[in-house]
Amino acid sequence: MTQETKRATAEGTPIIELRHVEKHYGDLHVLKDINLEVDRGEVLVVIGPSGSGKSTLCRTINRLEAIDSGQILIEGKPLPQEGKELASMRAELGMVFQSFNLFAHMTILENVMLGPVEVLGMSKDEAKKRALELLGRVGVEAQAEKVPAQLSGGQQQRVAIARSLAMHPKAMLFDEPTSALDPEMINEVLDVMVELARGGMTMVVVTHEMNFARRVANRVVFMADGQIVEEGSPDEFFDHPKTARAKEFLDSIKGY
């Protein structure tokens, strides 16, 4: 196989693939036969009612939640079970949570530098330069020497995004990144995510922000009761939902 063929094959492989994924919490069946592919550069937005399995789906992709059966592949390779291989693959999948999970005793700059130095083996000078660039990119470079408690929630979430980007991820996973924010802070985080999408970042976004889904997603996945009920382009889903469950959900959020 030539290098060109190898490259073409790699580029044709989904960055993330879930095959027949099942997950239970005790008697609760939270993921039911999930089959999903996310292509390079795609922005996939996962929406649905509370308790539909959206966040669990997102968290299984980098094994923050173990699955009961099925397969998860990253660039065609099965997700490792544990150890250094899993840590290495996790580093390639940036994750941004509802809570910011910043280290309270470290400055913003130190928070963003930590992963590249400790995990990627980057020099402190190189990590600092990269961190400052990323903090500038998300609009909080002026806060670099402050600790998280001195920042607003929106600023802290933007730092969390910069921290993930510092690891040079192949894809970014967002689990309700704006749900803990005051309304006026939501747009400042969504604006950063819009810019990431425009830059070609592969993204899986679990969110209640329907306007973001409509504006930015390449594909919308609608979940209910642990299943993928429907998927399609934003226009297809929001204007012409195919299932009664999707129509019911959209009717419940009219005026979003």
Side-chain angles (χ1 to χ4, degrees):
M1 191 184 285
T2 65
Q3 284 300 115
E4 288 76 11
T5 308
K6 281 181 183 174
R7 200 173 298 119
T9 303
E11 286 174 359
T13 302
I15 280 206
I16 298 164
E17 185 176 1
L18 287 78
R19 297 178 182 169
H20 303 293
V21 168
E22 300 273 348
K23 170 72 178 175
H24 292 78
Y25 292 126
D27 294 333
L28 188 62
H29 198 173
V30 287
L31 295 179
K32 304 172 184 174
D33 195 31
I34 300 294
N35 292 280
L36 188 64
E37 293 183 358
V38 184
D39 291 326
R40 192 177 306 276
E42 183 175 21
V43 179
L44 182 85
V45 175
V46 185
I47 63 175
S50 295
S52 58
K54 307 183 301 293
S55 288
T56 302
L57 169 68
C58 189
R59 291 166 68 86
T60 62
I61 293 173
N62 64 357
R63 210 177 280 284
L64 285 174
E65 296 282 358
I67 60 175
D68 298 331
S69 61
Q71 245 191 335
I72 299 174
L73 300 102
I74 308 299
E75 293 189 319
K77 297 176 184 173
L79 193 62
Q81 295 290 328
E82 55 190 20
K84 285 185 178 177
E85 285 184 351
L86 178 59
S88 175
M89 193 161 281
R90 272 191 182 143
E92 296 176 348
L93 296 171
M95 182 103 193
V96 179
F97 301 89
Q98 298 176 33
S99 53
F100 322 121
N101 293 343
L102 300 174
F103 290 109
H105 64 289
M106 291 183 172
T107 66
I108 296 311
L109 181 61
E110 288 168 342
N111 265 279
V112 179
M113 287 174 60
L114 185 65
V117 172
E118 296 294 329
V119 179
L120 302 181
M122 198 180 281
S123 73
K124 285 192 175 179
D125 285 346
E126 189 181 355
K128 182 176 181 179
K129 182 182 175 189
R130 169 86 174 146
L132 288 170
E133 283 172 5
L134 289 168
L135 291 172
R137 185 171 165 187
V138 301
V140 288
E141 187 178 4
Q143 319 299 328
E145 297 305 326
K146 293 181 179 177
V147 294
Q150 295 175 286
L151 273 62
S152 70
Q155 289 173 324
Q156 289 188 60
Q157 193 61 295
R158 284 185 278 157
V159 172
I161 293 172
R163 180 181 59 184
S164 287
L165 290 173
M167 300 297 289
H168 298 283
K170 292 175 179 174
M172 292 277 287
L173 311 173
F174 293 87
D175 181 14
E176 298 278 15
T178 59
S179 66
L181 299 178
D182 293 333
E184 67 270 19
M185 295 176 190
I186 289 172
N187 282 338
E188 65 185 57
V189 173
L190 293 179
D191 287 346
V192 170
M193 293 167 65
V194 169
E195 287 305 311
L196 283 180
R198 285 181 181 153
M201 175 62 75
T202 306
M203 296 163 64
V204 176
V205 185
V206 173
T207 185
H208 285 103
E209 297 295 329
M210 298 303 145
N211 288 317
F212 173 84
R214 184 148 205 164
R215 183 162 60 126
V216 182
N218 300 111
R219 187 160 43 116
V220 173
V221 166
F222 172 67
M223 290 186 70
D225 306 315
Q227 296 173 296
I228 293 176
V229 176
E230 192 170 328
E231 59 182 288
S233 72
D235 286 347
E236 286 171 347
F237 177 75
F238 288 108
D239 295 337
H240 308 287
K242 302 182 190 76
T243 62
R245 188 69 184 84
K247 288 173 187 166
E248 179 188 322
F249 174 76
L250 290 170
D251 285 343
S252 75
I253 55 165
K254 281 285 186 234
Y256 62 81

